[in-house]
Amino acid sequence: MATAYKVVVVTDSQPTWQTPLIADWEVTDLTDPDAVVAAGRELGARHDVSGVLTWDEYLLVPTARLAEHLGLPGSHPDAMRACRDKGRTRTVLAEHRVGSATSIRTTSLMEAVLAAESIGYPIVLKPASNAASLGVIRIDNGEDLAAGYAFAAAGAHGIGSESDDVLVEEYLDGPEVSVECVTHRGVTAAVAVTRKTLGFEPYFEEIAHSVDARDPLLAEVAPVATAAVAALGIGTGIQHVELRLTDRGPRIIEVNARVGGDLIGRLVSLATGLDLARIAADLACGTAPDLTPTRHQAAAIRILYPDATGTLTRRAIDNRFANTTDWIEEVRWLCEPGGRAVLPPDGDLDTARIGHILVTGPTAEVTQQRLRLAADHVTVTVDTRMDTRTASVPDA
């Protein structure tokens, strides 16, 4: 964004790496919605602000409120609340006849038991308002329901969650994808589809993503994704719409009113040439973005995990291989040797992931081959108390 705009930020700590890219900032408590709005208004008093946006799931509603206060483009706060509250999302989609999952909001284990009996197993338990699959679990029978409900309820109490409720939902079987959408003045265009790989069942940890500019699946899922965006009343911005490809057709899982995580925006840029961060800034300022693709290739990312919880002692990729391979876009380590690696469900995005590999190729099939080849040159070693073992990389 800083290549095209002067950027000022609301943050919860003094800027470090951001400093060369920003013109000003306000430090505040990001978990306090009123404080976020107040800090943004302080920046608005010092600068001629043309747009407001966030990439943070938990700040969608405060950001919409701030844009409203400043009289700037943006979706109504109620639309953002409908996205944040997954139960409300289901209700709105059902009202507009957009394919989704049967969902019942619960506040106790007894209510969850009754909901599960009504829907039928398998079911999914999930916090009503969280992100990154925190607290989400599949339950296949009544014997596992109590433990699963406790897990989901703990996730519902996470920092940034606006609700303690737990949703009991129909399990949607089939491959998972996301549709990356761009909305300007109420008109939505689907610009890419991301194919996902999940791991660590019965949890829903996303371990790999792939984007192909020529993917024919986009034409099939785009109408469902754009209908969901319209139903929720989203007027502007980027949306990361998650779906399952069931035998009844595409069904909505969630509508996230932001750029997708796990560098999905980067994958879209590498595959199509469309820079979602720049597009998000344009939209926030009321400018219609140019959505003409300038690339037609594929890009993919694999997240690296150890095969057991322990203390990380080594993580490396063969330098000779990496330095002579032009299709590896990035290898980044997220955990330093000596740090603790904790696998899901106990570990989260910050503690379970060791790093990632990002590659490009002419097609999705080629990028998957390249990811597997790159993974063969990666070593991740953890000390599991009594011994040290070399981890295997989960298959993508």
Side-chain angles (χ1 to χ4, degrees):
M1 291 187 290
T3 62
Y5 294 93
K6 182 172 73 172
V7 180
V8 297
V9 300
V10 177
T11 178
D12 59 359
S13 60
Q14 289 295 321
T16 53
W17 62 269
Q18 304 98 323
T19 304
L21 304 175
I22 61 178
D24 197 1
W25 64 90
E26 280 284 325
V27 177
T28 194
D29 180 1
L30 296 181
T31 65
D32 182 344
D34 291 333
V36 172
V37 172
R41 296 185 73 170
E42 285 291 328
L43 288 171
R46 298 199 296 266
H47 302 273
D48 183 15
V49 177
S50 299
V52 181
L53 63 84
T54 185
W55 51 87
D56 189 325
E57 172 73 19
Y58 300 107
L59 296 179
L60 289 171
V61 176
T63 300
R65 288 179 56 207
L66 177 58
E68 191 174 55
H69 279 303
L70 298 178
L72 297 172
S75 294
H76 194 277
D78 286 346
M80 296 298 95
R81 291 187 185 97
C83 290
R84 288 289 300 128
D85 186 329
K86 313 308 180 186
R88 177 61 181 160
T89 298
R90 297 287 191 217
T91 299
V92 172
L93 296 182
E95 290 172 350
H96 288 80
R97 298 184 179 180
V98 179
S100 183
T102 302
S103 178
I104 300 174
R105 184 185 294 268
T106 68
T107 60
S108 69
L109 175 58
M110 182 56 68
E111 290 180 359
V113 170
L114 296 175
E117 291 176 352
S118 173
I119 294 173
Y121 292 96
I123 59 168
V124 174
L125 301 176
K126 68 192 301 184
S129 63
N130 218 320
S133 299
L134 296 175
V136 184
I137 183 172
R138 189 189 72 231
I139 302 296
D140 295 329
N141 54 67
E143 289 75 14
D144 296 333
L145 182 59
Y149 186 85
F151 174 77
H157 287 84
I159 295 176
S161 178
E162 296 101 329
S163 172
D164 294 337
D165 296 349
V166 172
L167 303 180
V168 179
E169 298 194 336
E170 165 194 11
Y171 173 65
L172 298 175
D173 196 11
E176 184 167 330
V177 304
S178 64
V179 182
E180 318 315 324
C181 295
V182 175
T183 301
H184 177 62
R185 296 184 178 178
V187 178
T188 301
V191 299
V193 59
T194 304
R195 296 184 185 249
K196 300 174 177 293
T197 301
L198 305 183
F200 300 98
E201 292 185 352
Y203 312 101
F204 294 84
E205 187 83 4
E206 297 181 1
I207 63 175
H209 307 275
S210 175
V211 175
D212 188 335
R214 297 185 178 90
D215 196 329
L217 181 61
L218 181 60
E220 177 184 346
V221 295
V224 181
T226 56
V229 172
L232 290 163
I234 299 173
T236 191
I238 303 289
Q239 299 84 42
H240 171 68
V241 184
E242 296 177 328
L243 307 93
R244 279 287 180 107
L245 307 179
T246 76
D247 56 8
R248 295 172 295 161
R251 291 285 191 269
I252 299 291
I253 299 174
E254 295 181 357
V255 178
N256 303 287
R258 52 169 172 80
V259 177
D262 290 351
L263 298 184
I264 287 175
R266 179 98 177 272
L267 298 183
V268 172
S269 177
L270 288 169
T272 70
L274 297 176
D275 185 340
L276 293 186
R278 168 62 188 274
I279 290 170
D282 290 341
L283 294 169
C285 295
T287 302
D290 183 356
L291 301 182
T292 306
T294 59
R295 295 177 184 169
H296 297 87
Q297 61 175 4
I301 186 171
R302 173 181 286 192
I303 314 299
L304 304 175
Y305 298 81
D307 66 350
T309 292
T311 300
L312 181 67
T313 58
R314 184 166 184 253
R315 80 290 187 276
I317 186 168
D318 183 278
N319 285 332
R320 184 176 180 181
F321 168 79
N323 294 336
T324 58
T325 306
D326 60 5
W327 41 260
I328 293 182
E329 296 290 333
E330 179 176 288
V331 177
R332 179 162 295 184
W333 303 111
L334 307 175
C335 184
E336 296 297 325
R340 187 77 170 160
V342 183
L343 289 180
D346 298 320
D348 57 22
L349 299 185
D350 296 321
T351 58
R353 296 175 165 192
I354 301 301
H356 62 251
I357 304 172
L358 196 157
V359 306
T360 54
T363 66
E365 291 75 15
V366 171
T367 61
Q368 293 306 308
Q369 294 170 3
R370 289 175 173 178
L371 277 180
R372 288 190 288 271
L373 179 58
D376 289 341
H377 291 80
V378 169
T379 301
V380 175
T381 307
V382 295
D383 184 341
T384 57
R385 296 185 178 179
M386 299 299 294
D387 64 333
T388 299
R389 58 194 295 186
T390 299
S392 59
V393 180
D395 287 338

